Amino acid sequence: MNAIEELESQVKAREVPKHVGIIMDGNGRWAESRGLPRLEGHREGSTSVREVTRSARRIGLKALTLYAFSSQNWSRPPDEVAGLMELLREYLLKEREEIMDNGIKLNAIGELDKLPKYVKEPLDALRTESAKNQGLVLTLALSYGGREELVSGVRALAAKVASGALSLDDITEETVAGALWTHDLPPVDLVIRSSGEQRLSNFLLWQTAYSEFLFSPIAWPDFRAREFAEALLHFQTRERRFGLTGAQLRRAGT
Ligand code: FPP
C-alpha cells in the first residue's frame, strides 16, 4: 500500500463525509509566482480535479461539488474566461471514459445556459450518459452563485404560490431546499478552500448552514489526493453539534 492509499484507508475506517464542497482557489497566484500565464495555473488545477475526484471515489464519498466557475468570474479578462471555457471542454471530452468506467454521475449546477455551446454540449451529453451511474455524484458548479441560486428558487416558489399550486404555509425548509439546483444532493458536510483565503465567495450559501470549514494554505494546483485525504482526516476529528451541546450528543450516542 502506498502512502496515499494508507491515508485513504485511515479515512475509510472512520465515518466518511457524504458531501464535500471545494472552493478551488489559488490557480492564478500559483502560476504568477512561477512567472507563468494564469491559465497554466488553471491547467495544473485541472490535474488536481482529476486526482481529487479519483481519491473521493476510492474513499467512497457520495457527493463532491467543485466550484469551477462563479457567476462573478464572467467579469475576468476575456482571454482568461475563454481559456477556462476551453479547459472545461477539454476536461469534459477527456474525462468521459474515466467517468463512465468508474460509475461516476456527472452533475452541474449554475446558470448553465450562459455557458458557450462548445462547453454546454459536451456537458449535457455527459450528464445524460452518466445519469444512471450509481457511484460518486460529481457536481461542477459552473456560472454558479449561491445568491443567484436562491433568487431562482424564490422565483420558482413565488410562481407556484401566484398560480395557486402552493400555499404560503407549504413554504418550509424542505420546499426551499427542493427549489434549489442542489435539490437531489445531501447537505454539505465539509467545505474545503485552498490557498489561504477564508471566505465563502457565494458558494452553496443555503447548503453550508451546518458545514465544517477547512481552509488550507496550499494552492489548488498543489492540492492533490494526499492533501484531500489529510483534509478528511482532520474533518473526522471535529465534533459536529448542530446546535446541541456536546453532552447532549454524547448522551444520544452520536
Ligand atoms: C480560482 O483560482 C479558480 C478558478 C476561478 C477556476 C477553477 C478552475 C479549475 C480548477 C480548472 C478547470 C476546472 C475543471 C472542473 C476541469 P484563481 O484564479 O482565483 O486564483 P488566484 O486567487 O490565485 O488568482
Side-chain angles (χ1 to χ4, degrees):
M1 208 187 267
N2 67 32
I4 308 268
E5 286 165 349
E6 174 59 39
L7 280 173
E8 289 173 352
S9 75
Q10 284 177 35
V11 175
K12 284 199 281 191
R14 304 188 211 160
E15 195 180 334
V16 172
K18 284 194 179 62
H19 187 180
V20 175
I22 306 185
I23 304 173
M24 308 183 289
D25 195 15
N27 294 346
R29 277 165 287 163
W30 182 93
E32 282 160 6
S33 71
R34 287 162 174 77
L36 297 169
R38 290 176 59 83
L39 201 56
E40 287 309 308
H42 296 311
R43 184 172 292 285
E44 201 58 32
S46 310
T47 305
S48 299
V49 166
R50 287 189 189 98
E51 272 218 13
V52 167
T53 303
R54 278 185 194 152
S55 176
R57 180 180 56 71
R58 287 192 297 261
I59 288 170
L61 252 67
K62 289 214 174 344
L64 176 69
T65 299
L66 303 176
Y67 204 5
F69 194 85
S70 74
S71 302
Q72 289 66 35
N73 286 155
W74 291 114
S75 306
R76 288 197 174 195
D79 57 339
E80 184 169 342
V81 172
L84 274 166
M85 291 299 138
E86 285 292 344
L87 267 182
L88 284 164
R89 175 180 165 82
E90 209 176 283
Y91 170 85
L92 291 164
L93 297 176
K94 279 198 186 156
E95 290 309 285
R96 184 193 155 271
E97 210 171 295
E98 166 125 2
I99 285 179
M100 293 311 295
D101 286 353
N102 289 293
I104 295 173
K105 178 178 168 181
L106 185 80
N107 184 30
I109 52 172
E111 295 171 311
L112 305 177
D113 288 338
K114 290 192 176 167
L115 295 169
K117 211 170 151 194
Y118 64 87
V119 174
K120 184 82 172 32
E121 276 180 3
L123 177 67
D124 287 344
L126 198 46
R127 283 163 82 197
T128 305
E129 193 180 356
S130 67
K132 292 206 167 71
N133 287 350
Q134 298 288 316
L136 172 74
V137 180
L138 172 63
T139 301
L140 301 181
L142 293 170
S143 190
Y144 174 85
R147 287 184 175 176
E148 287 78 357
E149 179 183 33
L150 284 164
V151 168
S152 148
V154 168
R155 281 199 181 142
L157 290 176
K160 282 190 184 169
V161 172
S163 73
L166 192 74
S167 78
L168 271 186
D169 288 343
D170 288 334
I171 297 187
T172 60
E173 286 194 18
E174 285 70 31
T175 48
V176 173
L180 300 180
W181 297 323
T182 51
H183 56 89
D184 46 4
L185 292 173
V188 180
D189 298 304
L190 170 67
V191 173
I192 299 171
R193 182 170 187 146
S194 58
S195 203
E197 310 293 346
Q198 302 194 6
R199 51 178 176 263
L200 200 46
S201 300
N202 208 11
F203 184 53
L204 301 177
L205 299 178
W206 169 276
Q207 300 84 345
T208 53
Y210 284 101
S211 305
E212 295 292 322
F213 288 83
L214 194 138
F215 299 104
S216 164
I218 296 171
W220 179 250
D222 289 331
F223 198 100
R224 297 286 163 94
R226 171 190 300 281
E227 287 69 27
F228 184 63
E230 283 171 353
L232 298 191
L233 280 173
H234 184 84
F235 164 83
Q236 289 171 323
T237 67
R238 303 257 180 106
E239 181 181 64
R240 303 183 72 198
R241 292 204 287 268
F242 301 97
L244 302 179
T245 67
Q248 280 178 305
L249 282 180
R250 280 185 288 281
R251 267 202 301 278
T254 52

